[in-house]
Amino acid sequence: MTRETKTIILDAAETLFAEQGFAATSLRAITSRAGVNLAAVNYHFGSKEALIDLVFRRRIIPMNRERLSRLEGLERADDGSEPSLEALITAFVAPPLEMARDAGSGGTVFIRLLGRSYTEPSATMQTAMRAMYEPVIDRFKQAFARALPQVPPVELYWRMHFMVGVLAYMMAGTDMMRLIATSRVADSPDIGELVRRMTDFIAAGMRAGPGSTTPAGGMDRVEA
Amino acid sequence: MTRETKTIILDAAETLFAEQGFAATSLRAITSRAGVNLAAVNYHFGSKEALIDLVFRRRIIPMNRERLSRLEGLERADDGSEPSLEALITAFVAPPLEMARDAGSGGTVFIRLLGRSYTEPSATMQTAMRAMYEPVIDRFKQAFARALPQVPPVELYWRMHFMVGVLAYMMAGTDMMRLIATSRVADSPDIGELVRRMTDFIAAGMRAGPGSTTPAGGMDRVEA
DNA sequence: GTCTATAACGGGATAGAC
DNA sequence: GTCTATCCCGTTATAGAC
């Protein structure tokens, strides 16, 4: 029963953090939603900050393990061929989005929280996240460099940023432009189709030839 | 002098919101940074929420006006030609990024705040933002549809989301992957180059042929 | 392990002197 | 318009009964 309570608190905290952010979510709100006593958080976790840390750790670590395992699977193909660019992108992009669909309990809401936290500037969070992400980023950077030998390293660096931006925005699912249809990831009927759309978009962007579109870039301003 | 004080408060609030978020920023911190009395916020703005609203309104409205004016300039070209896809993307993407560079006072920090707020789920903020963005999005949607007649409307809708995701992430500038060089927009020496990079990436993604990359999308999973 | 009660503090907002 | 002082509430964290 002792670990049961911790899990219940984690689930409640995860939901409220995703909805309101960290600072706006009080321990009272968390414990009341979890149906446990106010003192339980400090007993089980020590502090609010430690709770936040565990909320992330619980799901990010398996998620990144899944990304790496997909990547390794691609690189150990039987025929010894190099993985395609699309396969690499999918290996990076699909795990969080499928998590939003699959994880019965709180996976859906966690992905929204994670998408938000990409733009969270708190120093504590930044360093914690970097520690969890660094190995993944390193491995994928090498893989992308092999798949795109014609793209200069600096350009590739920026394009990986762009990829993360697309992913983070979809994960956060805030529907800034919701004027046509559903756009929250969790509501979307077919995650596989979203993954395919994102992969196509990102792959084309990553392959973009240098200079192909340059002339139009800087001269279109109407007035200073 | 009366408007002077309001401006000082707005500047201080903008900075602190960008650094810490809304909930974590107290009125005490704002007024102390601004060098004014604690009661000044409530006197001049009525409430913390109203202050937040004005912080955004002050810069978003001219920013979106600039986007629309660039778009209209493109569409009224002398030779009657349709604007290129790259020109449309630049018209949408450049104003916030150049604002980060140009605005002497708080433009830089505001852009970080704005990038963050794209994934801010507060209902109040969502509706306020939508009101300010709706006309811009509508106009650009039509322009993109004309520039990309071969892309089905649903696909185009998602690709515009992707574009916003790239932009929002760059604006927030949180350096999730900072392992090579600088990545904070404000630190970057050449905003024009960043705009060109983003435009090239997004343009290629938006033009991506349907099905060109489909077969690799879904079958690469290593294990369930 | 779980509860109640409370400490110690900081939050937003306001009344009223100046 | 600007200040001080204060109200009232919610916050995290903890002490101690059960």
Side-chain angles (χ1 to χ4, degrees), chain A residues 19 70 73 86 90 116 118-121 126 134 155 157 161 174 177 179 183 197 200-201 204 213 217 221, chain B residues 70 86 90 98 116 118-119 121 126 134 155 157 161 174 177 179 183 197 200 204-205 213 217 221-222:
Chain A
E19 287 172 0
R70 290 193 194 201
E86 282 76 11
T90 301
R116 274 196 87 188
Y118 276 58
T119 54
E120 189 88 22
Q126 290 264 62
E134 202 156 20
E155 204 80 29
Y157 164 75
H161 269 295
T174 351
M177 306 194 304
L179 301 168
S183 83
R197 276 192 230 273
D200 286 354
F201 181 91
T213 60
R221 302 185 59 178
Chain B
R70 290 193 193 202
E86 282 76 10
T90 300
E98 291 177 358
R116 276 194 85 190
Y118 276 58
T119 55
Q126 291 263 59
E134 203 156 19
E155 205 80 29
Y157 165 76
H161 270 295
T174 351
M177 308 195 302
L179 302 169
S183 82
R197 276 192 230 273
D200 285 354
T213 61
R221 301 184 58 176
V222 162

Side-chain angles (χ1 to χ4, degrees), chain A residues 163-179:
Chain A
M163 173 178 72
V164 173
V166 171
L167 178 60
Y169 190 70
M170 285 297 109
M171 286 164 67
T174 351
D175 329 64
M176 175 67 63
M177 306 194 304
R178 187 217 293 258
L179 301 168

Side-chain angles (χ1 to χ4, degrees), chain B residues 44-64:
Chain B
H44 285 287
F45 301 91
S47 71
K48 183 183 183 180
E49 200 173 358
L51 169 62
I52 294 176
D53 204 65
L54 268 188
V55 164
F56 280 93
R57 228 171 266 287
R58 172 171 72 145
R59 300 211 193 262
I60 285 189
I61 288 174
M63 183 186 81
N64 278 344

